[in-house]
Amino acid sequence: MPAIPSPRAPRPSGPCVLLKHGEVFLKGRNRHRFTERLHDNLRGALRGIGGSTWIKSGQNVTVLGGEVPLEDLVERARRVIGFNSVEPALRVPSTVPDITETAVEALEAARTERPGISFAVRVKRRNKNFEMTSSQFERFLGARVREALGPLPVNLSNPDVLISVEIDHKESYVSWSRHQGPSGLPVGSSGRALVLLSGGYDSPVAAYRAMRRGLHCDFVHFTGAPYTNAASLYKAYALARELNRYQPDGRLHVIALGHAQKQLAIAGAGRLQVVAQRRLMVRAASALAGRTRAEALVTGDSLGQVASQTLANMAAVDEAATLPVLRPLVGWEKQEIIDEARSIGTAEISVLPDEDCCKLLAPPRVTLRAGLTGLHSVEKRLDLDDVVDGLLRDVQIMYPGDSGEEADHPEADSPDRSPEPGRPAPAVCATEQSGPASS
């Protein structure tokens, strides 16, 4: 980030961050509801930042400031879904001399770090009574910069530094760098969902994509316990913790599936084993969704990626669900998913070793087209309602906060034991036992 030029007294100015809205600006008469949700999420992201902050709402833009380093504000804001860009800026009075002096200072600071840079100026005039039009002021600022700093090269298509000026009625904003935001809809504006979170690349990326469509996500992770170790649980906790940096804290529900998987195998599932246990997962998740007020399930399925994700097998799984099953990655290639996992910070966790419950008791060959008749026949040999009740009766609920937010929950009785980056947190942190399945 270029150095921040120091405003000269007595100008009533100071550092701030311009947050440009994403899809929110497309909303009509209910836009204010989306904006309120966006600001609520921003306040949540600022918790524990170590100083006072303020938020000011403008037309399709939010201005963020406070008594904390600008870099910290930028880092927190870049995680808030719903902002299209995050721009460090300076507030100045809406006068030609103040804006001009600040633009010159910003270019001078940038040139000190990178001699020979090219520049361009973009002006957006919200105050139509300003003494110059946007294009006139762009030419004026460009000329003043070159007068003050010498013949800096101008590059209108791809400048090294873009000086962006937003002119409002009482104050204006001069920015000199731009960070890409997550864009999308504010988390929570589309309702709630329950994500079937495994330890691989796919489901965390699917969760992130669901969040970008405005869904607040809770998570459910199925382990093979007591036949597998706790490695997958550690990974799920770390993944949920990373994903919660993009949303208000979502809960992680952990269900031990091992005994139920063995029951399916004893019932003669054979080549249907994997699809049958996935059906059991969505049955349990559908029942659990009633407790979390979720209106949909989210999975990381990608069409044809593995044998259990053929079109026929996905349809067979859907038949067991009582809620819509959303698959944000259904048309994605594996490399696209891995690249996205790296960009959101979950890839380093997903590569850690674990014992995946889906591999427990899996047959050498999985059917590519599971028939409902065969699946129903296997399931009739079990009391599925009793099996699901048993799974939910022993569910663990965890609160994977970002930086000690577990203390916000009365159930959390232990201090934050946050792991180092890329290292899962202890699974004993902030857990509780759920009540009966009928609760």
Side-chain angles (χ1 to χ4, degrees):
M1 181 185 300
I4 304 167
S6 301
R8 299 172 187 172
R11 265 192 289 165
S13 60
C16 64
V17 182
L18 284 182
L19 306 173
K20 304 294 181 63
H21 295 180
E23 291 183 56
V24 170
F25 85 92
L26 297 173
K27 301 303 176 182
R29 288 176 294 180
N30 62 349
R31 183 189 302 175
H32 69 281
R33 294 173 54 194
F34 288 85
T35 302
E36 289 173 1
R37 175 74 70 170
L38 185 58
H39 288 174
D40 286 343
N41 294 345
L42 177 59
R43 292 185 191 97
L46 294 171
R47 282 184 302 177
I49 199 170
S52 63
T53 58
W54 52 264
I55 296 172
K56 179 182 177 182
S57 182
Q59 183 182 358
N60 300 325
V61 67
T62 294
V63 186
L64 171 63
E67 298 177 355
V68 294
L70 195 64
E71 292 81 2
D72 293 346
L73 294 177
V74 169
E75 193 276 333
R76 296 293 184 98
R78 290 182 70 182
R79 291 275 185 169
V80 181
I81 291 173
F83 292 123
N84 190 49
S85 67
V86 178
E87 303 178 17
L90 283 171
R91 286 186 302 143
V92 299
S94 291
T95 68
V96 169
D98 284 298
I99 296 172
T100 302
E101 185 176 356
T102 303
V104 171
E105 291 170 356
L107 256 302
E108 187 175 23
R111 187 180 65 170
T112 300
E113 292 187 353
R114 293 184 292 166
I117 59 172
S118 61
F119 81 101
V121 178
R122 296 286 184 270
V123 174
K124 187 169 187 177
R125 190 178 55 136
R126 302 184 192 278
N127 176 11
K128 301 305 180 184
N129 294 322
F130 191 72
E131 56 192 273
M132 284 185 257
T133 66
S134 297
S135 57
Q136 288 172 342
F137 198 36
E138 286 175 354
R139 292 192 293 271
F140 175 86
L141 282 178
R144 298 291 83 77
V145 165
R146 301 191 79 188
E147 285 179 7
L149 303 180
L152 287 179
V154 176
N155 187 336
L156 298 180
S157 59
N158 188 29
D160 295 316
V161 177
L162 174 64
I163 298 296
S164 177
V165 179
E166 302 224 1
I167 302 173
D168 218 326
H169 289 80
K170 293 184 178 181
E171 60 186 20
S172 296
Y173 309 96
V174 179
S175 63
W176 56 91
S177 64
R178 180 180 186 274
H179 304 277
Q180 186 68 41
S183 195
L185 295 174
V187 172
S189 61
S190 298
R192 301 182 70 94
L194 184 61
V195 179
L196 279 70
L197 185 67
S198 70
Y201 289 110
D202 303 347
S203 56
V205 174
Y208 174 72
R209 283 283 155 173
M211 292 174 193
R212 290 189 61 199
R213 301 317 308 152
L215 288 171
H216 184 281
C217 294
D218 289 304
F219 312 99
V220 57
H221 176 70
F222 294 90
T223 76
Y227 305 114
T228 58
N229 62 31
S232 73
L233 191 156
Y234 280 75
K235 285 180 66 176
Y237 184 97
L239 288 168
R241 187 177 189 275
E242 187 67 29
L243 290 167
N244 276 344
R245 298 177 69 185
Y246 297 97
Q247 67 165 9
D249 292 344
R251 292 169 293 181
L252 172 65
H253 302 77
V254 181
I255 296 177
L257 195 67
H259 286 312
Q261 291 176 274
K262 188 173 182 179
Q263 287 179 274
L264 287 170
I266 293 172
R271 291 184 63 188
L272 298 173
Q273 176 75 24
V274 172
V275 178
Q277 62 194 32
R278 288 180 68 86
R279 281 169 59 88
L280 184 56
M281 288 179 187
V282 300
R283 285 182 192 275
S286 296
L288 180 60
R291 303 180 186 179
T292 65
R293 295 180 289 118
E295 302 167 83
L297 306 179
V298 176
T299 77
D301 294 342
S302 173
L303 185 61
Q305 187 179 113
V306 294
S308 63
Q309 294 174 16
T310 63
L311 190 60
N313 286 350
M314 287 195 291
V317 170
D318 285 358
E319 195 263 349
T322 59
L323 293 175
V325 180
L326 308 181
R327 296 180 171 89
L329 310 184
V330 69
W332 287 41
E333 296 179 0
K334 191 65 176 184
Q335 191 58 51
E336 293 175 314
I337 297 171
I338 294 173
D339 291 343
E340 178 98 330
R342 288 173 178 153
S343 71
I344 66 175
T346 59
E348 291 184 359
I349 303 169
S350 294
V351 297
L352 297 174
D354 69 339
E355 291 188 349
D356 184 2
C357 78
C358 292
K359 297 177 182 178
L360 180 66
L361 302 175
R365 296 183 62 188
V366 178
T367 181
L368 301 179
R369 181 176 287 274
L372 290 177
T373 301
L375 288 165
H376 290 163
S377 177
V378 171
E379 291 169 348
K380 283 180 181 178
R381 297 166 196 157
L382 307 176
D383 187 337
L384 283 180
D385 290 338
D386 185 61
V387 171
V388 171
D389 285 350
L391 292 175
L392 299 191
R393 189 179 303 118
D394 298 324
V395 65
Q396 285 182 292
I397 303 176
M398 312 176 75
Y399 298 93
D402 182 32
S403 54
E405 284 84 357
E406 288 91 349
D408 293 342
H409 302 280
E411 298 86 353
D413 56 5
S414 59
D416 177 49
R417 294 183 237 173
S418 305
E420 297 175 0
R423 181 179 177 183
V428 296
C429 185
T431 67
E432 66 177 31
Q433 293 298 116
S434 176
S438 59
S439 63

